[in-house]
Amino acid sequence: MEFVELIKTPKLDGVLLHDHLHATVEGTLCITGHHLLLSARQESSQELWLMHKNIDGVEKKPFVVQNVLMGGIITLKCKDLRIISLEIKYAKEYLNVAASLEALSSLHNPELEYPFFYRPMYTILEDGYTMFRPELEFAKLVGSSSNVGTCNVPANSVASNGYDGSLGCEWRIAHINKDFKLCPTYGAALIVPKCITDEQIVQSATFRDGGRFPVLCYRHENGAALLRSAQPISTQSMKRCRADEAILNVVLGRSKKGFIVDTWGKGKSNTETDQHYSQWKKVNRSIGNISSPAAILDCFTKMIEACNDTACTSDKWLSRLDGSQWLSLVLNSLNAACVVAQCLDQEGSPVLVHGAMGLDSTLIVTSLVQIILNPDCRTVRGIQALIEREWIQAGHPFASRHQYSCYTLPQNRPKNCGATFLLFLDCIHQLYKQFPCSFEFNIQLLILLFEHSYFSQYGTFLCDSERERYELRVHTRTTSLWSYLNRPDVLKNLLNPLYEPNPIVIWPSVAPISLELWQELYLRWTVDQMNSERNLAQILHLVTTEKELRSKALKLRKQASDLRCEILKLLKSGN
């Protein structure tokens, strides 16, 4: 298929552009294979450059006079939460543009997406696809001092019920999933206990939903391990799995107990039996009363509807915001992460986190835990590595979850659409607001991550899994988002001017009153953000001035010290 087949009117003059915050602009509309452009060709006027993938919904309002179509308004509701309208004066062009945008915004062949056509106009300084390889992340996660004991126990002894896990274990990178047949949603390289054989991993995978057996995602500085997996499969033929029990027993090491945290919901997911996992305490910390990713998206939809209703009273707005339950999901996510972080940091106990297939709420919790405990994850490189490791390589299905967003009617979108990654970013936003000096990056980076996860010229968030990216050769045919973000001229705009490296754990408040609506994202197209931008510019000016004054003070102190030495020399020579 050629894009030209879908573009019935590639160029049209006299189109009016309306949005909430800007004056109406009349200009020339151009439609390409991947973008919609509108320009008045005047330096001071607004210009629209919209990727078709950004369009979540197309609404048509025709102008009919005496039963004759006279053009109309096409309203584009976008995944970045913008709502813009195009007013077209002529019937044929109105219908053509609407049909083209509906078709171009609903293409589901990944090879037709913009990342496969985009070629950067700048020199790539670092290849983002190789920056966070599993081998490099393994070295950081495990470290040279990570061996809490040498695992000298034979594999058959580990698998037996008699092994008490007292020796601890080392870790290794397993390549048993290199062909993605064992678990289609996991990556090719996974970190597992060194004592556990590939045969035992295969057995454990058959016991877990989707083959997602327990893997290491973080090791705390005290040696406590954080693992994630899917829930056990509930079948009459497989009520237990000795290999799976062996993995968790090995991870216990010298700890007397471990914790299994279920994030999906009490009574909705299967869990490990007390009889066969006697040293593991079960903890339920569900993110919310949800049974599918679509439920999270429904909450997000209701919240955005409230944010876009600028005519309602404050009381009604607050009631609608509370009724959306979005901030409750944020609160529950942070609460679950704090519980897991306490088990690792204060109890020194290993934790296994799971929920359903482990593709959504599980990843939110394991990621937030690392941000709370690990200061490296609060840096620019660290958050990129975390997202690469815990979301992209871990198999979060970005393509399916982000196929549609909050402006598509629930009955028109598949049940596998969701807003899980946005929920995670909102949780980071809450941590940032509570600890504004502990993050190297600013809120703008989080907004960019939100946008690029839905529509992008880069291939980082393409597809549903590493297997699909491998089959489409994404790493060789597209450019990485990390290659762009880490360019010095881009990076300088994403840094937090208040950042002071904080090596300690950050414990957030999980009281409802501590949460803030993410105004910079959810209200940016309905409420003018000029005051926030001015405040940020003022902060940056104050920080820059302080640095200049500190530098000047150091120079003056040095001059004073030099003068003092000269005076002392003169006094000595005079004597």
Side-chain angles (χ1 to χ4, degrees), residues 91-155:
K92 180 180 178 181
E93 286 75 10
Y94 163 73
L95 294 173
N96 285 347
V97 170
S100 296
L101 294 179
E102 286 175 334
L104 290 167
S105 63
S106 59
L107 297 175
H108 300 312
N109 180 353
E111 291 190 275
L112 295 178
E113 293 188 21
Y114 189 40
F116 288 101
F117 296 82
Y118 171 74
R119 295 296 178 265
M121 302 299 291
Y122 54 83
T123 302
I124 295 178
L125 304 176
E126 293 181 286
D127 183 0
Y129 288 129
T130 62
M131 285 172 58
F132 309 113
R133 294 194 306 270
E135 294 80 10
L136 298 176
E137 293 304 297
F138 173 74
K140 287 195 296 182
L141 277 177
V142 180
S144 59
S145 61
S146 68
N147 302 336
V148 294
T150 303
C151 201
N152 296 321
V153 183

Side-chain angles (χ1 to χ4, degrees), residues 76-89:
L76 304 178
K77 296 188 173 181
C78 304
K79 294 175 183 176
D80 65 357
L81 309 181
R82 259 188 303 186
I83 298 178
I84 56 179
S85 297
L86 303 173
E87 184 176 340
I88 299 175
K89 302 175 183 177

Side-chain angles (χ1 to χ4, degrees), residues 230-242:
Q231 66 181 7
I233 297 173
S234 178
T235 61
Q236 292 296 325
S237 60
M238 184 177 289
K239 293 186 176 181
R240 68 178 297 189
C241 176
R242 295 181 185 274

Side-chain angles (χ1 to χ4, degrees), residues 165-268:
S166 60
L167 293 177
C169 70
E170 296 175 341
W171 302 92
R172 69 181 175 95
I173 297 182
H175 297 280
I176 190 172
N177 196 45
K178 62 183 179 180
D179 55 3
F180 308 107
K181 291 182 179 179
L182 180 64
C183 176
T185 60
Y186 270 165
L190 302 161
I191 305 176
V192 299
K194 193 172 184 179
C195 298
I196 299 300
T197 65
D198 286 354
E199 291 75 13
Q200 288 173 303
I201 293 175
V202 172
Q203 294 172 33
S204 177
T206 60
F207 179 67
R208 299 279 176 176
D209 197 351
R212 293 175 69 90
F213 56 89
V215 296
L216 178 73
C217 53
Y218 172 66
R219 180 185 173 277
H220 197 34
E221 58 185 9
N222 61 11
L226 174 64
L227 297 91
R228 52 175 160 76
S229 71
Q231 66 181 7
I233 297 173
S234 178
T235 61
Q236 292 296 325
S237 60
M238 184 177 289
K239 293 186 176 181
R240 68 178 297 189
C241 176
R242 295 181 185 274
D244 192 82
E245 296 163 24
I247 293 175
L248 297 194
N249 285 337
V250 166
V251 171
L252 275 173
R254 293 186 175 87
S255 300
K256 294 182 180 180
K257 65 177 178 180
F259 294 88
I260 297 176
V261 178
D262 179 14
T263 64
W264 202 41
K266 193 172 183 180
K268 294 180 180 177

Side-chain angles (χ1 to χ4, degrees), residues 269-309:
S269 58
N270 306 315
T271 190
E272 297 75 3
T273 60
D274 293 334
Q275 177 184 359
H276 302 132
Y277 298 86
S278 57
Q279 289 181 274
W280 291 81
K281 182 179 179 180
K282 316 302 184 305
V283 180
N284 182 272
R285 283 295 182 273
S286 62
I287 297 302
N289 185 24
I290 55 175
S291 57
S292 69
I296 298 179
L297 183 52
D298 289 340
C299 293
F300 177 53
T301 300
K302 293 176 183 177
M303 189 263 291
I304 292 301
E305 288 174 352
C307 290
N308 288 342
D309 189 356

